[in-house]
Amino acid sequence: LMHLTKKLIEIRTMLLSIDQSDSLKLPSIVVIGSQSSGKSSVLESIVGHEFLPKGNNMVTRRPIELTLIHTPPSSDGSVPTEYGEFPSLGLGKITNFTSIQKVLTDLNLAVPNAEAISSEPIDLRIYSPHVPDLTLIDLPGYVQISSLDQPEELREKISTLCDKYIREPNIILSVCAADVDLANSPALRASRKVDPLGLRTIGVVTKMDLVTPDQGVGILTNNRYPLHLGYVGVVAKSVGKTSSASTGTVARRGEDDYFSAHREFFGPSSSSSGIMVGTDTLRRRLMEVLESSMASSLHSISNAVQLELEEATYQFKVQYNDRRISPESYVAETVDALKARFREYATQFRKPAVRERLKGMLDERVMDIMEQLYWVDKRVEELGALSADAKIKTADDMDVYWRHKLSAASSLLTKSGVGRDATVLVADGLRALIDSIAGGEPFNHHPRAAERLVQFSHVILRDRIGMTSDQVENCIKPYKYEVDMDEREWEVGRTRAVELFEKEVMMCEGKLSEIRKKVGGRRRLSGLVGYVKELEEKQREKRVRKLKGEIVDVDVDVDEQEDVESYRYPQGQILDARHAMLYGDRLATLKLRLAALKSKRCKAGPESDVFCPEVFLNVVADKLAHTSTMFINIELLDHFFYQFPREIDSRLIYDLDRKEIIEFARENPIVRRHLDLQDRKDKLEEVMKQLNSLSTLRADATPTPRRQ
Ligand code: GDP
């Protein structure tokens, strides 16, 4: 039967890790008693070591789930070393019991003073050839009525915590001191409330040496508070503290001496007289009671586990179609999906696409240059006339003027920092791509991984931007001096220029019609525009007169006047009219240039460059875009697309340990639920298997001699 308890203790530990519901609990022994009743001393004498926190200041603030595991000597007869383990702390085997005491003290003191008590148990396992297989739960001691320095609230907290643990199916170890009237024992009072007949309560009477043997026997055989499981008297105080302090061992000599000195009261062999005394008796008693309690729980726990297992199996089938996952497989899938996604997006960065993007940037720049250099020029109409009619011979000075303009425009374009801007434009595109991947499924669940992703991709880019811009700038350098173009290139450029201008015309017309709609129709707008023009004319005149000294600034201020005038129309509409005038002017210019671009002269070819600067600049922009793309591709994109997947491997996964992989997978709530259910099902299956093997074990069990 010894195996049964051992097995069931293992099963109990597994069940505890599955969940905390009462239906899946196997019994444990819960130790309650008031402060200083000798609770710690009893536990320590059972374990044979001093390991519990000592001190006056509320040393037990959390329940201690103490699992004792008997380790039998190995076949060669060598005795295994004793050690303790805190499974949830990952400290490994601790062979020094003073260190165990230190850890327990620290864990208890870590509970904030304001809370005083925490219900979160400390899990401690002790492996030793000198301990029986037992599970014990040490709880904070009841605060005695006499020590009123502890607040009422604390007393209640402790009671509530103890009440939670003394529920069925647990066995209650009620510790009372012999020198205190049992009527005053809070432990007995609490246990009698939940177990009036004492069917699962063992009384432990400590400090038997502090009363006369006569009184001692009286207490143990007492009929005032009878317990079915009876009382055991002990002398748990360790004598010879000095010798035990160094080894941490609890001497039990004092107890043996005491009970044998009073053999006439307690009998030679304690149990035969019906009076139970001594720690050895207590240990045996505890083993028996736990064993039979566990054995009788076996059936109900098997049923409960079976039910839970069926439910978990059903849910796993329904929700996940029995598909198993692991944190590792999830990480691998995530990385594969990330790479695939990246490859898919990478097509946006093939050469034609990049060229198109750069050309777009340069087209805008060409438009700006045109506006800056040509459209504001009063002579732009003259240029229009020149390009419209190929027959007009140009005067030399005119030719020089426009030629000069063209070379100025060309250098504005080629020297506008294309290398840097083009590189940054592409790098920004990549950055935006990574940001969008990092912000989407499943990385929205993995903020730290997403941050790493963003960070290392930005680092790769940052490291390449400088070099790439320099390279690009270097390669477009020739265009700063001279651009050769042939007929075909010219025609392509001209067609594109026409397209661009037509688009710009449409844009302006769109804006104009928007304004028209806003102010209430074409007529209303032309009225407004007429009014604004009139206003401007008046202001101009006034300004001229003022300059000539005809108006002296005394009563009439020009600006003030303007303000008053504007009130005839709402201020917003005046602004709309001004915008409409700007778009109107722009439209006129664009149409003029569009006509020129479609003229014979512009179609003639590169020799018309002076008259058709838009075409010329378009061809230059195209060449710049082409060359930039080539070098950005080599210096930035190739490098990035090579490096990025490798960084994913080395920075996103290879430096993760098993714990971090699990953490990562569990960040995703969908995966977490899947893993949890799978884990629960696996554990229940394992428990069920063990329970089944126990029933067969029990069926053919022959009683084994008890260990003494
Ligand atoms: P706890 O607060 O209930 O854990 O009580 P302790 O185990 O710390 O014991 C309180 C005090 O009683 C300590 O000073 C112990 O040495 C002492 N003590 C415990 N058991 C005995 C005993 O059997 N006999 C005597 N004389 N003193 C004991």
Side-chain angles (χ1 to χ4, degrees):
L1 223 61
M2 277 315 297
H3 289 294
L4 184 68
T5 310
K6 195 181 194 71
K7 271 274 175 213
L8 281 171
I9 287 174
E10 277 168 24
I11 291 172
R12 181 179 177 275
T13 309
M14 282 173 74
L15 285 172
L16 278 183
S17 78
I18 295 176
D19 63 13
Q20 301 290 324
S21 87
D22 277 351
S23 67
L24 288 188
K25 265 189 188 147
L26 275 166
S28 175
I29 299 163
V30 179
V31 190
I32 55 171
S34 48
Q35 287 180 358
S36 301
S37 58
K39 212 159 53 70
S40 313
S41 306
V42 169
L43 278 168
E44 286 177 344
S45 65
I46 289 173
V47 171
H49 283 280
E50 202 179 319
F51 68 98
L52 288 167
K54 298 282 147 64
N56 302 322
N57 182 28
M58 275 289 303
V59 280
T60 306
R61 300 178 170 205
R62 291 171 62 177
I64 302 172
E65 284 262 5
L66 181 62
T67 306
L68 306 183
I69 297 123
H70 174 72
T71 46
S74 45
S75 46
D76 62 4
S78 64
V79 179
T81 33
E82 297 178 279
Y83 64 91
E85 216 176 46
F86 294 92
S88 53
L89 299 187
L91 299 173
K93 298 180 180 179
I94 307 175
T95 48
N96 182 341
F97 282 75
T98 314
S99 307
I100 295 177
Q101 189 175 37
K102 174 94 178 45
V103 174
L104 284 175
T105 307
D106 292 347
L107 287 173
N108 275 298
L109 291 181
V111 177
N113 272 327
E115 278 175 41
I117 294 291
S118 156
S119 60
E120 198 195 330
I122 298 168
D123 199 2
L124 169 60
R125 299 190 192 153
I126 290 175
Y127 297 80
S128 161
H130 309 303
V131 297
D133 290 302
L134 279 181
T135 63
L136 297 149
I137 300 167
D138 184 26
L139 291 168
Y142 287 107
V143 176
Q144 295 229 270
I145 304 152
S146 52
S147 56
L148 278 176
D149 53 324
Q150 321 244 27
E152 184 64 26
E153 195 193 328
L154 178 68
R155 282 174 52 186
E156 254 165 45
K157 264 190 165 172
I158 294 172
S159 291
T160 313
L161 181 64
C162 292
D163 286 349
K164 202 180 110 193
Y165 277 94
I166 59 179
R167 285 200 296 243
E168 276 189 281
N170 285 340
I171 296 150
I172 307 165
L173 200 67
S174 258
V175 179
C176 328
D179 58 344
V180 178
D181 187 354
L182 289 196
N184 288 334
S185 159
L188 273 183
R189 207 176 304 133
S191 65
R192 284 171 63 83
K193 246 192 274 171
V194 293
D195 177 33
L197 300 179
L199 295 176
R200 52 186 184 94
T201 305
I202 302 177
V204 175
V205 180
T206 57
K207 309 191 187 180
M208 288 291 284
D209 56 325
L210 295 187
V211 292
T212 62
D214 193 31
Q215 286 172 311
V217 170
I219 296 169
L220 295 182
T221 55
N222 104 86
N223 290 322
R224 248 202 313 161
Y225 307 106
L227 294 175
H228 180 74
L229 295 181
Y231 289 87
V232 183
V234 296
V235 177
K237 193 177 83 157
S238 49
V239 287
K241 275 251 170 190
T242 39
S243 68
S244 65
S246 55
T247 56
T249 332
V250 177
R252 221 179 288 136
R253 283 266 321 278
E255 184 178 56
D256 293 347
D257 291 350
Y258 180 81
F259 288 121
S260 45
H262 303 286
R263 198 165 296 179
E264 68 276 22
F265 291 96
F266 302 110
S269 147
S270 39
S271 45
S272 62
S273 63
I275 296 174
M276 296 184 284
V277 288
T279 303
D280 282 334
T281 310
L282 176 63
R283 296 205 320 169
R284 259 200 310 275
R285 192 84 187 108
L286 290 180
M287 283 155 68
E288 281 163 16
V289 171
L290 187 65
E291 249 172 51
S292 69
S293 170
M294 280 201 161
S296 65
S297 297
L298 195 56
H299 185 68
S300 64
I301 203 81
S302 291
N303 285 344
V305 171
Q306 184 63 38
L307 272 179
E308 292 288 334
L309 176 59
E310 276 164 17
E311 175 64 16
T313 307
Y314 173 76
Q315 290 299 340
F316 195 62
K317 170 84 193 159
V318 171
Q319 293 183 39
Y320 304 108
N321 197 22
D322 286 337
R323 190 172 62 89
R324 296 190 63 85
I325 57 167
S326 68
E328 284 81 2
S329 70
Y330 173 70
V331 169
E333 267 169 36
T334 307
V335 166
D336 284 352
L338 170 62
K339 287 181 185 169
R341 183 94 147 287
F342 184 67
R343 269 196 303 278
E344 178 192 312
Y345 278 126
T347 54
Q348 293 173 10
F349 291 89
R350 296 243 175 82
K351 270 194 264 180
V354 172
R355 197 155 52 226
E356 196 61 32
R357 223 188 271 201
L358 294 185
K359 184 67 189 339
M361 175 187 94
L362 291 166
D363 282 345
E364 255 172 53
R365 205 159 282 189
V366 168
M367 279 296 185
D368 289 347
I369 293 170
M370 289 307 299
E371 178 173 8
Q372 223 176 316
L373 289 188
Y374 285 88
W375 302 345
V376 294
D377 192 321
K378 291 266 157 18
R379 292 172 71 177
V380 70
E381 280 180 38
E382 171 194 305
L383 184 70
L386 284 174
S387 35
D389 189 349
K391 275 183 244 123
I392 297 180
K393 269 303 275 165
T394 55
D396 273 355
D397 66 327
M398 226 181 262
D399 209 14
V400 166
Y401 179 81
W402 292 113
R403 181 154 300 285
H404 181 74
K405 261 227 158 158
L406 183 66
S407 77
S410 177
S411 34
L412 262 186
L413 181 60
T414 53
K415 294 178 184 165
S416 62
V418 173
R420 175 125 205 127
D421 293 350
T423 308
V424 169
L425 183 78
V426 176
D428 281 350
L430 285 172
R431 234 176 258 161
L433 165 66
I434 299 296
D435 289 352
S436 87
I437 290 180
E441 278 281 342
F443 283 95
N444 49 343
H445 303 300
H446 309 296
R448 278 169 309 155
E451 200 189 307
R452 272 210 299 273
L453 189 70
V454 167
Q455 210 178 5
F456 70 66
S457 57
H458 285 196
V459 168
I460 308 176
L461 288 173
R462 198 175 346 119
D463 290 350
R464 300 301 295 183
I465 283 180
M467 186 195 260
T468 309
S469 341
D470 289 351
Q471 272 283 359
V472 174
E473 201 59 47
N474 233 346
C475 296
I476 60 168
K477 201 168 176 183
Y479 300 127
K480 292 180 185 171
Y481 300 95
E482 160 173 59
V483 185
D484 289 328
M485 54 189 79
D486 59 26
E487 300 272 342
R488 202 188 49 80
E489 286 169 333
W490 177 269
E491 186 47 30
V492 170
R494 194 188 66 81
T495 319
R496 285 196 59 148
V498 168
E499 275 165 21
L500 268 174
F501 272 67
E502 280 171 346
K503 229 165 71 196
E504 194 77 8
V505 164
M506 261 164 60
M507 195 273 288
C508 286
E509 279 172 345
K511 292 273 185 206
L512 263 179
S513 87
E514 248 172 53
I515 295 174
R516 227 177 278 135
K517 230 183 268 163
K518 201 169 143 202
V519 299
R522 187 184 295 274
R523 285 188 53 193
R524 169 98 177 156
L525 181 60
S526 58
L528 259 173
V529 167
Y531 170 71
V532 171
K533 276 189 179 151
E534 201 179 293
L535 211 68
E536 279 174 358
E537 184 55 28
K538 263 193 219 149
Q539 277 164 16
R540 204 182 54 80
E541 270 169 28
K542 263 181 205 147
R543 237 174 262 125
V544 171
R545 280 168 62 202
K546 196 179 162 191
L547 276 176
K548 285 184 185 161
E550 285 172 30
I551 314 178
V552 186
D553 240 357
V554 188
D555 0 56
V556 190
D557 183 271
V558 177
D559 295 333
E560 224 171 85
Q561 180 89 14
E562 182 189 15
D563 282 351
V564 174
E565 295 268 17
S566 325
Y567 283 129
R568 256 192 239 163
Y569 285 101
Q571 200 61 39
Q573 294 208 341
I574 302 275
L575 204 66
D576 286 337
R578 292 223 158 94
H579 285 157
M581 284 158 70
L582 285 177
Y583 284 120
D585 290 352
R586 167 66 53 88
L587 258 180
T589 313
L590 286 172
K591 282 184 174 158
L592 198 70
R593 292 310 303 155
L594 205 49
L597 288 173
K598 290 176 176 169
S599 71
K600 268 222 179 77
R601 199 192 281 264
C602 278
K603 283 181 181 159
E607 75 264 20
S608 302
D609 53 1
V610 177
F611 309 107
C612 314
E614 298 86 354
V615 179
F616 180 82
L617 292 179
N618 210 299
V619 176
V620 176
D622 202 47
K623 285 175 185 285
L624 291 176
H626 193 88
T627 309
S628 305
T629 302
M630 237 155 49
F631 285 91
I632 287 176
N633 197 51
I634 298 169
E635 296 294 338
L636 186 72
L637 292 168
D638 277 358
H639 187 84
F640 188 76
F641 286 121
Y642 174 83
Q643 195 78 3
F644 186 72
R646 278 160 187 77
E647 296 279 308
I648 292 176
D649 289 341
S650 67
R651 302 213 186 192
L652 219 52
I653 41 172
Y654 285 153
D655 63 346
L656 292 185
D657 58 27
R658 165 96 184 136
K659 205 172 129 243
E660 288 167 320
I661 287 175
I662 294 171
E663 256 170 40
F664 177 86
R666 295 183 62 83
E667 281 172 356
N668 187 335
I670 297 163
V671 175
R672 187 175 58 230
R673 276 194 296 275
H674 193 157
L675 283 172
D676 280 348
L677 183 58
Q678 178 179 304
D679 194 44
R680 187 181 161 82
K681 178 175 157 281
D682 288 353
K683 280 181 174 165
L684 286 166
E685 258 165 15
E686 179 58 29
V687 168
M688 204 58 230
K689 214 170 79 194
Q690 305 245 5
L691 283 170
N692 285 337
S693 76
L694 272 188
S695 340
T696 50
L697 186 91
R698 238 166 35 120
D700 52 37
T702 43
T704 42
R706 293 272 162 78
R707 203 169 37 82
Q708 289 306 302

